[in-house]
């Protein structure tokens, strides 16, 4: 089990949170955490964003204009 300190809305303060035994097989990477003070559960959601298509474009001079 891993321990983290997070704000708990129920306890109204910073409390240690731990990863409970995960039936889904996530192990220490389980997104569910439980407050050790009151037992309130939180879900940590992570998102991976792909770079936008605009970031991949190279800037090209527009037609009719020439680089000096």
């Amino acid at each position: 089990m891993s321990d983290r300190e997070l704000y708990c809305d129920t306890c109204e303060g910073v409390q240690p949170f731990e990863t409970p035994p995960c039936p889904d097989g996530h192990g220490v990477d389980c997104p569910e955490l439980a407050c050790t003070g009151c037992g309130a559960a939180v879900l940590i959601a992570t998102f991976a964003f792909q770079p936008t298509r605009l970031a991949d474009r190279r800037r090209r001079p527009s037609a009719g204009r020439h680089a000096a």
Side-chain angles (χ1 to χ4, degrees), residues 1-20 33-42:
M1 292 187 188
S2 64
D3 292 312
R4 299 182 208 190
E5 288 189 350
L6 300 169
Y7 183 82
C8 177
D9 288 330
T10 305
C11 295
E12 297 181 344
V14 176
Q15 296 291 332
F17 279 73
E18 65 183 11
T19 306
L33 298 173
C35 176
T36 59
C38 68
V42 295

Side-chain angles (χ1 to χ4, degrees), residues 5-60:
E5 288 189 350
L6 300 169
Y7 183 82
C8 177
D9 288 330
T10 305
C11 295
E12 297 181 344
V14 176
Q15 296 291 332
F17 279 73
E18 65 183 11
T19 306
C22 183
D24 298 326
H26 294 121
V28 296
D29 294 328
C30 184
E32 299 174 23
L33 298 173
C35 176
T36 59
C38 68
V42 295
L43 180 66
I44 305 296
T46 57
F47 297 96
F49 291 99
Q50 301 270 338
T52 63
R53 288 181 38 194
L54 294 176
D56 294 337
R57 288 186 183 175
R58 293 185 182 180
R59 190 170 194 159
R60 297 180 185 167

